[in-house]
Amino acid sequence: MLEPDGEAGPTKDNPAMVPPEALTETLPPVLPTTLPSVAPLERNLRKWSAWLGPAISVAILVAVLWQLRKIDWGQVWSIVPTSPWIWLVLAASYFAGPVADWIIFRKLWGIPVSGIFPLLKKLIGNELLLGYVGEVYFYDWARRHVKMEGSPFGAVKDVAILSALAGNIMTVMLLIFTWPIISQLGLEGAGTGNGHVLATSIGVVLVTSLVIMFFRNGLLSLPKADLGFVFVVHTLRIVANTGLSALAWHLILPGVGIASWLLFATVRLLLSRLPLIPNKDIAFAGISTLLVGSQVQTSDMIAMISLLIVATHVVLFMGLMLLDLVQKEKNA
């Protein structure tokens, strides 16, 4: 859906079929025992800061124009939901990530309400370009617009790491709580070939999380109280997006109960977070048939929502670019 934490987004070749849970950040499964200093990277970012923000904005604009070229606006218009409740839930799901980020950086830096705009660009950059491109853009924006002691690099880095950690922990917890049901759905074999791939994927998630915790003193720079706050907000964002996804699907296809859609959203989140499972679309399609029945056109619904997400990215970024131009004219 317009969805969890963080957090998966549409691909450039087939944006309509990509899970809407866009923003799943996966950290490397193994970290070195001696962690390198981030100071050289920060110095390089400062060195190129005059070009960094504009270059990323141009790259996002090119990606938006490319997506604009591929979107069938007639199809988008034909599938636009008519219920205002559906629109409300879809909007809440889309903005859940940027709003959560705004709450975090409002706490850390006291950014103004207008700080939501660069955070929206951060989301769109991550979705249409590459993961963490948005973080680089937001770091450059914060360095130029936010007054603080020291560099914003450490906070941006910590928030990204904790987002990945929260996603990993939620994945493991959801897997534990839903395993009695999931084990009966054939998740171990669907699209994976055997259960070893599933076990290895879970192991990667666990090891990554443990490595982050073990090296937290070298990786994380924020005070413990702030780290706890950031982690809680990311966790609540993931829970909210999962629930909003289930509610939106229920409103679109009310013939299926909300409990089934909630389990459906949970399984989808698990598949999006587990890194080594191949053919996730095939596995998800098979499991969705078992969860909600073959007569329910879940693939059509998800494709519709994914197309709406891409269209929202395009329209919203164009609007943000126009807003930037208007503000520059006023300040000139």
Side-chain angles (χ1 to χ4, degrees), residues 204-225:
V204 169
V205 171
L206 287 173
V207 169
T208 303
S209 302
L210 290 174
V211 166
I212 294 174
M213 296 301 296
F214 184 78
F215 291 107
R216 62 186 181 276
N217 292 333
L219 282 172
L220 306 174
S221 56
L222 290 173
K224 289 184 178 180

Side-chain angles (χ1 to χ4, degrees), residues 136-308:
V136 176
Y137 169 82
F138 184 68
Y139 159 79
D140 179 71
W141 175 88
R143 195 188 60 79
R144 290 183 289 108
H145 292 87
V146 180
K147 294 182 179 179
M148 68 188 78
E149 295 182 2
S151 168
F153 182 82
V156 174
K157 168 182 63 66
D158 288 4
V159 171
I161 291 175
L162 289 175
S163 177
L165 180 62
N168 287 350
I169 292 177
M170 285 298 299
T171 298
V172 174
M173 291 181 61
L174 289 173
L175 191 62
I176 292 173
F177 287 125
T178 60
W179 184 252
I181 298 175
I182 290 177
S183 61
Q184 301 175 12
L185 299 177
L187 180 60
E188 293 182 355
T192 66
N194 56 65
H196 295 295
V197 176
L198 176 63
T200 305
S201 296
I202 298 172
V204 169
V205 171
L206 287 173
V207 169
T208 303
S209 302
L210 290 174
V211 166
I212 294 174
M213 296 301 296
F214 184 78
F215 291 107
R216 62 186 181 276
N217 292 333
L219 282 172
L220 306 174
S221 56
L222 290 173
K224 289 184 178 180
D226 289 338
L227 293 175
F229 176 81
V230 172
F231 180 82
V232 169
V233 172
H234 278 311
T235 301
L236 292 176
R237 172 182 54 82
I238 295 172
V239 172
N241 266 322
T242 304
L244 289 169
S245 296
L247 180 57
W249 296 337
H250 176 64
L251 292 173
I252 295 171
L253 297 174
V256 179
I258 186 67
S260 297
W261 286 126
L262 190 58
L263 181 59
F264 185 78
T266 300
V267 172
R268 191 172 186 202
L269 175 62
L270 291 175
L271 284 177
S272 68
R273 294 292 307 180
L274 295 176
L276 302 180
I277 296 181
N279 303 320
K280 292 184 180 182
D281 289 340
I282 297 175
F284 184 67
I287 292 172
S288 65
T289 300
L290 297 175
L291 285 175
V292 297
S294 58
Q295 74 281 3
V296 180
Q297 299 300 317
T298 56
S299 60
D300 293 341
M301 177 189 65
I302 292 173
M304 175 199 76
I305 295 176
S306 297
L307 187 58
L308 287 177

Side-chain angles (χ1 to χ4, degrees), residues 311-323:
T312 302
H313 287 331
V314 170
V315 172
L316 189 58
F317 187 79
M318 291 295 189
L320 292 172
M321 293 290 287
L322 290 175
L323 181 62

